Every structure is written in structure tokens, then in C-alpha cells.
Amino acid sequence: MQIGERKVGDKIILEVLESHFGADKALAFKNALGRHLEGGPVSLVLDLAKVDFIDSSGLGALLSVLKRMPKGSELVICGTKEPVSSMFKLTRMDRVFTICKTVDDAVSTLSH
Amino acid sequence: MPEISLTIASRLDAVPLLGQLVGFICSSAGLTPVEENEVQVCVVEAVNNSIKHAYKEDPRHKVEVDINWLRTELIFDVWDSGVSADPKWMHSDHFAALDMDPDRLQDIAESGRGLAIIQQVMDSSEYTPGPDRNRFRLIKRLSGV
């Protein structure tokens, strides 16, 4: 699972560098993000702009990360293309995650 | 109209390519890009179920997807020869898996949405366990015909 990482201030921007985010990538994704969830509160932006396909396992991996985030943490998703957005809507995950259009929007949305 | 058969090893990392081929066929059959993606997800979910549950992720098996492209519908038959699922459970209403309270995050299940997606997107689905092979049939009607 390839994930790009950079920082904007104390905010961490993670970019999923895979076009297919399915069951074969779900465990690797959860493991890759684990180290960001071990300390104190963290502010994460997850950029899905390169993802063309996501299934229920990919969504489940995102949910797993959200549930494991330390108290006071924030996660904002951005860059979702139409196929990915439609899966968030279809599974009603758009009610669970904060989703912004761009990375800049997502960074602005984070409160700290 | 063509009948197409695709076979992959029972490995999760073999599924993306199969999914892309299914997407291409859906597009060729005239589905919109959103429909194409949704049907692709459904077939991928069915194949994932075969690999995860019928074969317990043992990679030494095969999953076959037969695609029958008729004038009015696309029929996807997903075949495995692993442990059969309970047809009553497969045919039960799975929409409840999509019900959740966003304010109760820890109560939201991380898995179990695949069949709900299939029931929501496909026009019909039917699971038939067999002594040798199990078949999960997914049907999508083609609009405009």
C-alpha cells in the first residue's frame, strides 16, 4: 500500500497512491496508518484523489482508522472522485466522515 | 450478445484486474459511469466473499465469473467450489447493515456491507449452493432497451 506523506504545520497530509482501494489493500492501509494513531491527538487529512475504486473493505479500513484515532483527533477526507463519492453515499459513510473537495479545504476544516 | 468467462486464482490481489474487466464490459453495455462503478463494486464484493468466506483466503482455488450480456440485462454468475454460505442468510434483507448512528462511532461495524451494496445496486441476486460449486447470480437490467 503506497501512501504519500507530508506536513502542513502540525497537520499530516496522507495521500493514497493506489487507484484500487479494495480488500487486498485494507489490512496494509490500517497497518500503515497505525503509527499515526499511537500518540496523542492527531490532525489528519486523507487525500483520495488518486483512488478510482473503493469497495466495502476499503471503506471499512477507513472506518477502522477513524475509530482508532486518539481522543481529540480529527480526520478529514478530500479529493474523492465520483465513483468513490458515490460509494460513500451508497453506504451512508458520507454521514460518518468529514469530506472536503480539496486538500486546502480539508486543512482549513481542521480546527487545530 | 457475448457470453464471457473470467477466472482468477482465489487471491484478493487478483480481484482488481477482474473488477476492471467487469467495469469495461459494463461500460460497453451502455451503463453510465456511476452504474458501471456500482456494478463493478458488486461483482468485486461477490468475488471477495468467495475468497474470504468460501475459501478462507486459501489461494489454491479458482473463482469464475461468467458474464451473460443479454439485450435487456447483464447477468453475472460468480462461481466457487468452497464452503457454501447459508442461502437463507444470503437472501435475507441486509439493508440494516447500512443503518448507523454517526454519533455512536464505536458501534458502527467495520465490515458486513458487501451484501447490502449488492442488494441496493443490483436488480436481483440469487445464491445457489451446490454439492460441487456455489453460484451467486447478480443481475443488472440495462436501461433504455
Side-chain angles (χ1 to χ4, degrees):
Chain A
M1 184 77 181
Q2 293 192 55
I3 299 173
E5 180 177 336
R6 64 188 169 96
K7 279 195 164 186
V8 175
D10 58 350
K11 300 170 177 72
I12 301 168
I13 319 296
L14 300 171
E15 183 182 17
V16 175
L17 302 171
E18 306 277 354
S19 63
H20 185 107
F21 188 4
D24 59 319
K25 302 283 185 346
L27 181 60
F29 176 81
K30 288 190 273 189
N31 290 340
L33 263 68
R35 65 188 176 86
H36 294 294
L37 313 177
E38 291 165 355
V42 63
S43 297
L44 292 180
V45 171
L46 191 61
D47 182 0
L48 298 182
K50 289 198 165 54
V51 177
D52 295 315
F53 177 93
I54 192 166
D55 64 12
S56 68
S57 299
L59 290 168
L62 296 176
L63 187 56
S64 172
V65 167
L66 184 64
K67 289 171 73 170
R68 286 159 56 208
M69 293 187 79
K71 195 172 182 183
S73 298
E74 291 177 289
L75 172 67
V76 178
I77 288 172
C78 66
T80 54
K81 296 176 183 171
E82 177 61 37
V84 175
S85 300
S86 81
M87 289 314 298
F88 273 89
K89 288 179 195 145
L90 192 68
T91 57
R92 302 175 197 168
M93 284 291 160
D94 58 333
R95 297 166 56 212
V96 177
F97 290 94
T98 303
I99 302 173
C100 291
K101 199 164 186 177
T102 67
V103 171
D104 288 343
D105 293 343
V107 169
S108 306
T109 299
L110 292 168
S111 61
H112 54 77
Chain B
M1 292 293 187
E3 183 171 341
I4 299 156
S5 186
L6 305 169
T7 304
I8 61 166
S10 52
R11 299 163 49 115
L12 292 173
D13 62 2
V15 178
L17 182 57
L18 182 138
Q20 287 176 18
L21 292 169
V22 167
F24 179 75
I25 291 164
C26 289
S27 174
S28 302
L31 295 187
T32 67
V34 170
E35 289 173 328
E36 170 200 328
N37 176 69
E38 290 177 348
V39 172
Q40 182 182 342
V41 169
C42 290
V43 175
V44 164
E45 297 288 351
V47 173
N48 285 345
N49 272 356
S50 288
I51 295 172
K52 287 181 177 177
H53 304 302
Y55 292 133
K56 316 294 184 201
E57 297 197 41
D58 181 341
R60 296 171 297 176
H61 302 282
K62 302 285 184 195
V63 181
E64 183 180 323
V65 180
D66 293 337
I67 304 164
N68 206 343
W69 177 357
L70 305 178
R71 196 178 65 83
T72 55
E73 60 193 14
L74 282 170
I75 303 174
F76 302 88
D77 286 334
V78 178
W79 297 91
D80 69 64
S81 52
V83 177
S84 302
D86 178 354
K88 278 187 186 169
W89 182 78
M90 292 292 284
H91 293 142
S92 62
D93 186 339
H94 288 268
F95 288 114
L98 303 180
D99 285 336
M100 70 187 94
D101 181 351
D103 295 326
R104 300 181 63 169
L105 181 63
Q106 295 304 328
D107 293 342
I108 302 175
E110 293 170 23
S111 60
R113 291 181 181 79
L115 290 174
I117 293 171
I118 288 171
Q119 289 181 348
Q120 191 152 314
V121 169
M122 302 306 286
D123 291 299
S124 72
S125 62
E126 178 191 38
Y127 181 78
T128 310
D132 299 318
R133 295 209 298 171
N134 308 302
R135 187 190 72 185
F136 195 11
R137 169 168 284 185
L138 313 177
I139 297 179
K140 183 70 177 177
R141 277 198 294 273
L142 298 173
S143 56
V145 292

